[in-house]
Every structure is written in structure tokens, then in C-alpha cells.
Amino acid sequence: MPPNSAGGAIVVPPATGLAVRAKVGLVRAWPFLPAGLMLALLFLVPMAVMVVFSLWRTTPDFDIVPDWTLDNYAYFFNTPTYVRTLLKTLIMAAAVTAAGIAAAFPFAYFLVRYVSPRWQRAVLLAVIVPFWTSYLLRAYAWQAILGPKGALNQLLTGIGVTDEPSRLFIYDNPGVWLVLVYVYFPFAALAIYASLEKFDFTQLNAAQDLGARPDQALLHILLPQVRPGLITACIFVFIPILGEFLTPALVGGTEGLLIANLIVNFFRGLQYTTMAAFCFIIAALVTVLLVIFRRYLQVEDVVART
Amino acid sequence: MTGIGAGRLAIELIEATKRYGETIALDGVSLGIEPGEFFCLLGPSGCGKTTTLNLIGGFIPLTAGELRIEGRRVNDLPPHRRNVNTVFQNYALFPHMTVAQNVAFGLRMARLDGRETERRVAEYLDLVGLSALRARSPAQLSGGQQQRVALARALARRPAVLLLDEPLGALDLKLRKQMQVELSRIQRQVGTTFVFVTHDQEEALSMATRIAVMSDGRVVQSGTPREIYYRPVDRFVADFIGESNFLEGHLAADGGARRVRFRDGGAVIVPSELPVGLARAGAVTLMVRPECVSVGTTAPEGQWATLTGRVINVAFLGNHTRVTVQTAAGAVVTLRPHSEGSRSAALDGLLDQEVCVWWSPQESTVVASDTGGGADGSLA
Ligand SMILES: Nc1ncnc2c1ncn2[C@@H]1O[C@H](COP(=O)(O)OP(=O)(O)OP(=O)(O)O)[C@@H](O)[C@H]1O
Ligand SMILES: [Mg+2]
């Protein structure tokens, strides 16, 4: 289109245009200012401090001295226990994510498909009610349920399944897994519900009409369209578990500790430089995982549906 | 049943009944649809049209009765194993697939090889005129285009029967007319049996080879558009399809010819063939279409059903003039077309005049007044 003939539109000369655009850009940016400031002061600055700490050294007298070194990182990778705990944490996170989604998907599916909208809201409310109680209280409650003198053992001995209280449920990995599934189920359920809610179920009829078995209809038609919800569920469950320390501390015993518990120990032991390095190893891992998840969550998935 | 020919029916419903708890959505419907027909299910909202289609498609089970597709009982066959395909009212296109992938889906499920799938996708996109848009996603199509994709997707499997549930309901009037012509062309071209649901009588009349008029879960009448229009079995059908004059009277034998006698005087000759059960005298409704009624100052000679009365209204409707005449039998509406020679100005002069209205007895229909009818297209 030749300039100055743009159907009556005002044509701004390029130089002025740029200046104006820059000014407009600044004016438009102000809504981001508070959030930007907060991010800078409360996130970026502490992060920078941590980066520096992770490359310094703590003396035996707990003084932090600016000796630039990678020893803190090397320490992690050279200590089998730490590497093993990190691997176990990853497996735990994967197991909780798998169980959470396995429970949340059918739950959300039946809720959306067969429950009237009014009841749906009631059920969703019931799902998020636990959030009104503090996490700490809920973890203690589980300790009371699963412990040697807990409700579960009393029930089992009461009906004669076991003779004496079992320690199977607590102070080990299965107990941690169970409680984490309980804690993270609502996140998975809400994420999957949100994406299923938009799904038009006559598509499943259409797929079957076109010769797909019910399982094929789910696989080829439903699953690709709720993938964003599934991936969000994965992110909401998997990543926070890498930082979980409360549940393992309360119901995990010595066997059930996760990587965050080690980090907390370094913190309590005033080993800030080692702690900072460990934190960055996990942060790097989370970043890599998010990039992987993002590859599966393409923007088109969201746009194509509108 | 108005049988066209012997041989296997494409669809056969035998005493098909569907209940939802207390509600009877379909009440002992028997229906036969011949191969190659363009069959319309027509009726007011809630009469059971969608239910009938869903039963045939296999999305809901029958409560009682039997359903046959191509002669085979399929009551318990799941949808993916029935040789029918559906064009859904909201199209139900798969938003995460392109137009071509949508059309290919049914072929993939049938495990057609890649080359044949590709060939058929091209063939059916061409049939509906969408070859150029094959790479688009459904969200990038207009309503009419989505409709065509749904049609191509269902036809590509070459089913014995194509089911269409008010497929034009979501389109605006102009596009609707255009798609009616298009659908008829496609149906003739592929020769597949179409079962088409609509509550638009004009759509049914213009496209169908046969129509089943439904009411309250029953088929009230089935027959060709002409049969339904000119020989409605009861007042409901006559009222639902087009406009009709309903004249209440008594059937009486007057020597040789039978007549309907009206309470306030006057009588008209009735068709020589009357529905079964109407042979004896009784309260009847005589129905005659407005366009079959002529109006003039003097009635012509011959075997006409004639009434006299006063013109109470003349309305110019563009291509027609509508004249309402108050007679002893009630108000009679006539619809006179305009053509060269017959000018509406002549009809305008009739207002407040004493006139005659007349029609050929064969173009009127008589049904018993109080019964709801329910015969299956059979006029004795
Ligand atoms: N799932 C259901 N549960 C209960 N009743 C139903 C159900 N589906 C349909 N009905 C009832 O069955 C009857 C027939 O419904 P159907 O959907 O077949 O009507 P229709 O002729 O397609 O009407 P429309 O022109 O409004 O689409 C209605 O009275 C309806 O309320
Ligand atoms: Mg319907």
C-alpha cells in the first residue's frame, strides 16, 4: 500500500512514530510496575544473593567467606546419599503425579459429564474445602491417622486383621506418598476439570458414529483436547513436590525424607552456602522440566479451541 | 406403508418405543424407509424426532420394539458397528483436527489404507465444494462450511443411511435455502438414503421423497409431500403443514352423493373416497387448502362444492391476494395467485360483496371431528 493513500488513515512519519510509540509503551507499562518491583525486590535480588552464596564458602565457625569456588556443587554430586535422595524425590513426585491424575481424571470426567451444574459446584467446593485448614494441621491429622496408635491401626487391630499396630503406614515412603496424593489431588482435579468443562461431549458420539470404539474415541478425540489440563495438572503436582518438606518431616520418619528436608537441615545447620548450591541444583532441574512440559503445551492447543 | 418397491428396507422400525422414566418419547412407532429415499421426520418440538434418530444411530437403547438396518436387527449393536452415519445438529467437528483430518477420521477407524483414505477425502471434499479449505481448522470456517465438513465426514464412510438432525437449523435463511438445494443435489448424486429431521414444513415439502409427520411420540401420517399436503389424515397434520380451511359439519347422505351439511345452513359435496370409518353419518371436519378455493360473483356449472357468503377481507400479499369470505360454514380463506390477466385490482373490488366460493370436491378432505386420527397414511 503506498503511503499517504491509506484509505483516509493518518500516516505518521516514521521518526515521530517511533518516539510516540516509545512514550505510549512507557505509559502502557505502568500496570506492570507494582508486580515488576515486587518481582525484582523479593525474587531477583534474593536470587542474586543466593547465586553468590552458592559460590562462596562457609568456615567451620559458620562465617561466610567470599572464596569463589564450585565446591558446594561438587559436594552434592560427590555424596551418594544426596544424589540418591534427589532421585528418590523425582520418583516420589512422579508416583504422586501419576496417582493424582489417575484419581482426578475419572473424577473430573464423571463430574462434568453426568452431574448437573449445580451439584458440580457443590462437589468442587467440597474438593477445595481442605484448603481452608492449614497444611500443617492436615499433616498432623494424617500422623494421627497413620501412626502406631492411630485410627487406622486401631481399626485393623480392632477387627483382627493384625495382632499389633503396624508401622507400615508411617515413617516411610508409602505414608509420604499417600499423604502427598491426598494433598495434591485437588490441584490435579481442578486443572483437569477446567479443561474438561469446555469439552463438547457430542464429539464422542460423533467419533463412535464414525466407527471409533469408546476407548478409541477417548484416545483420539478427548485426550488431545484436554492435554493442556493434564499438563497443567502435572506442573501443579510434580514441581511443588520437589520442594515438599513438611509432609516427609511429619510422616516420613528417616526413610521417607525428600530432598527439601536435606536443604532445611543445611539451613538449620547454618550451612548457607551448601544450601544455596542445593537449591540451585533443584531450580535448574525445575527449569529443565518446565521447558520439557512446555514443549507439550503448545499455544495452539489453547487457541484452537476458542 | 406406501411401499415403493419390494426388497430390503434401509431402515425399519417395528413398534419402537422409548421411555425416559415416566415420559414416553417414542410410542410404538412403525416405519419403513426404502433405500435411496430422502426421508423427512417432521413435527413440533418435543415430538420425538431426535429420539428416533438417536435410536437409529445407536446412541440410546430402545425400551421396546425392534430396529432393523438393511434387514438386520441391530437393537443391541453399538454405534461404531452400525452402517449409518450422522450429521449432528451442532456438527460436532473435531476442533483439534484440520478439515481433511476430520473427513479422514472415519476412514482411519475403518482401517482404510493411506492411499484410499486420501482419495476418498479428496472425493468427498470435492463433493461438498471444500477442497480449497482442506488444511483449515474448523474454527476458521463459517457455519455453512462447517456444515459441509460434517456432511463430507459422514458421507465419506459410504454408509447405508445418513442421519441428519436439523442440519440447517443454525444457518440464516438465505444460506438455509442454498443448502437445501445443495443437500438435494448431493443426495441425488451419492444415492445414499437420507433421514432428515426438521420442524420446518417447507423444508420437508421441498426436499423429501417421503415425510413422516410426528406428534407426541407417534407417527401421525407418512407419505409423499403431495399426499401429506393434499390428503392430511387429520386436523393436526393439515394445520401443521401449510394453511387450511377447517369447516365443521355433519356428514349426510343426500340421495346419491354424500355431502357435509353445516349448522348454519348450506352443504357441499365431499370427495367420493372417504377415510375408513367415515362411511356413516356423524360430526366431521372438512379441510380444503386456500389455494384450491376459487372466488367469484357466480359459481360455475358442474360438480363443485359451493358456498355463498360476504367478503370480509382482501389482503394484497405481493405474489398472491388473500380473500376471506364469511359463509354459513364459517370463514373461508382463498388464496389467488397473480398472473398476467388476473389482476389483484379486480379482487379488491370484491370487499363487502356477496360472492360464491367453490372448489373441486376431490381437493378437499373429510375427517371425523373428535378423533385425533393416527392412521398411517392410508386413505380408503
Ligand atoms: N434424556 C432425556 N431424558 C428425559 N426425557 C427426554 C430425554 N431426551 C428427550 N426427552 C423427552 O422426550 C421427548 C422427545 O424428545 P426429542 O428430543 O426426541 O424431541 P424433538 O422432536 O427432537 O424436539 P426438538 O424439535 O425440540 O428437537 C421430549 O418430551 C423430551 O422432553
Ligand atoms: Mg431434536
Side-chain angles (χ1 to χ4, degrees), chain B residues 18-21 23-26 43-54 60 89 165-166 197-199 214 217:
Chain B
K18 176 66 196 177
R19 275 197 211 89
Y20 290 106
T23 344
I24 301 189
L26 217 59
S45 187
C47 70
K49 306 179 298 285
T50 298
T51 303
T52 309
L53 229 54
N54 282 340
I60 51 175
Q89 179 158 16
D165 192 357
E166 305 209 20
V197 162
T198 179
H199 58 244
M214 298 182 67

Side-chain angles (χ1 to χ4, degrees), chain A residues 200 202 208-210 212 220 225, chain B residues 80 85-86 90 95-96 106 157:
Chain A
D200 166 21
T202 50
Q208 288 182 59
D209 186 76
L210 292 164
H220 295 298
Q225 292 182 60
Chain B
H80 66 274
N85 283 111
T86 308
N90 66 350
H96 60 301
R157 279 174 64 88

Side-chain angles (χ1 to χ4, degrees), chain A residues 254-271:
Chain A
T254 45
E255 290 301 313
L257 290 183
L258 297 181
I259 192 72
N261 298 89
L262 301 183
I263 293 175
V264 171
N265 284 346
F266 285 121
F267 178 75
R268 294 207 176 113
L270 302 180
Q271 301 291 327

Side-chain angles (χ1 to χ4, degrees), chain A residues 201-225:
Chain A
F201 282 92
T202 50
Q203 285 182 51
L204 292 186
N205 277 351
Q208 288 182 59
D209 186 76
L210 292 164
R213 291 189 312 268
D215 58 301
Q216 290 175 313
L218 285 182
L219 183 70
H220 295 298
I221 305 302
L222 180 79
L223 221 50
Q225 292 182 60

